[in-house]
Amino acid sequence: MDFIHPLATEYIEKYSEATPSYLKAMYESTLALHPHAHLQSSWNQGGFLSILSKLLQPKAILEIGTFTGFSSLCLAEGLADSGELHTIELRAEDAQKAAEYFTLSPKANQLHIHTGDAKQIIPTLSPTWDIVFIDADKTGYIEYYELVLPMLNPHGLIIVDNVLFHGEVLEAPINGKSAKAIQAFNEHVLADHRTEQSMLTIRDGLTLIRKK
């Protein structure tokens, strides 16, 4: 389901320029060559992530779901000089491609990629996160959220992608394992007295979550 008219999307992209221009080639390459290119954040969404990171100037970023690294590199734009970004990717082939793209970044030595199951890797990481970006398997969202919330800086931000899941959460009844998992996640966060959230209609839906 398209939530925004294609002409509006074109207009928005024309008047948005926050996405790092050096990422254009890798972004287009993923769209053209990767069999699961739809998993990549949109160009304008990348700019939104970049601006948020620049505003927060994080010292520690955690990304769950690297894919080929576009969103990682956008988030890295705001990293403090002494900051680090840790990103976790289940698929070794995508992790390898992301690692290659990371060499393009002026902050390449601050970017760390972990390959494997995020549920096992997250507890081994020690930073207090300033930004957490969740964009992985939808059935794991609640568990990822509960794992990272205690590790979130009091002024930190959790960003969650695909919270509208192609519009399937708007259907009655909701069908499909992933759509049901996203609906359960959305309900879980809404009922959580520890946090507050704002859901945005950017691409496939983004929710911003902060501790109260």
Side-chain angles (χ1 to χ4, degrees):
M1 175 183 290
D2 291 328
F3 297 97
I4 301 177
H5 193 283
L7 291 178
T9 299
E10 291 180 13
Y11 188 88
I12 289 167
E13 291 185 353
K14 179 179 179 180
Y15 290 97
S16 302
E17 58 173 12
T19 311
S21 59
Y22 82 92
L23 297 180
K24 194 67 174 179
M26 64 91 72
Y27 178 82
E28 296 292 347
S29 177
T30 297
L31 286 183
L33 302 175
H34 201 290
H36 303 295
H38 65 281
L39 297 177
Q40 180 171 244
S41 294
S42 70
W43 183 254
N44 191 51
Q45 182 179 347
F48 181 75
L49 295 175
S50 175
I51 282 182
L52 281 180
S53 184
K54 288 174 181 176
L55 287 171
L56 294 173
Q57 298 184 310
K59 293 182 179 180
I61 299 174
L62 173 64
E63 179 183 48
I64 306 171
T66 316
F67 196 45
T68 59
F70 173 68
S71 54
S72 314
L73 291 167
C74 289
L75 287 165
E77 287 291 293
L79 264 180
D81 290 340
S82 60
E84 293 187 337
L85 180 148
H86 290 262
T87 182
I88 305 170
E89 175 54 48
L90 179 64
R91 295 177 292 268
E93 185 175 350
D94 287 338
Q96 178 58 42
K97 178 59 69 174
E100 294 172 9
Y101 285 135
F102 285 0
T103 63
L104 303 174
S105 172
K107 300 183 178 182
N109 64 340
Q110 297 171 253
L111 311 181
H112 309 281
I113 188 163
H114 307 267
T115 306
D117 186 344
K119 298 180 184 70
Q120 297 178 11
I121 294 171
I122 291 169
T124 71
L125 302 176
S126 58
T128 299
W129 306 112
D130 299 307
I131 295 177
V132 176
F133 183 43
I134 301 176
D135 185 17
D137 58 296
K138 311 314 167 193
T139 57
Y141 269 27
I142 291 177
E143 188 169 354
Y144 296 142
Y145 173 78
E146 291 296 339
L147 279 171
V148 302
L149 189 59
M151 306 169 73
L152 188 68
N153 185 307
H155 302 290
L157 182 68
I158 299 175
I159 310 167
V160 186
D161 199 10
N162 303 116
V163 293
L164 294 174
F165 202 72
H166 320 304
E168 292 182 28
V169 294
L170 306 179
E171 298 173 355
I174 297 174
N175 296 302
K177 181 173 67 174
S178 292
K180 289 179 179 178
I182 288 293
Q183 179 62 27
F185 171 79
N186 292 339
E187 296 285 353
H188 182 81
V189 173
L190 182 64
D192 190 351
H193 67 277
R194 300 169 296 176
T195 60
E196 60 184 3
Q197 65 287 326
S198 179
M199 186 179 291
L200 309 174
T201 54
I202 295 176
R203 192 172 176 255
D204 195 30
L206 282 179
T207 294
L208 307 183
I209 304 169
R210 64 176 293 274
K211 288 182 178 179
K212 291 182 178 177

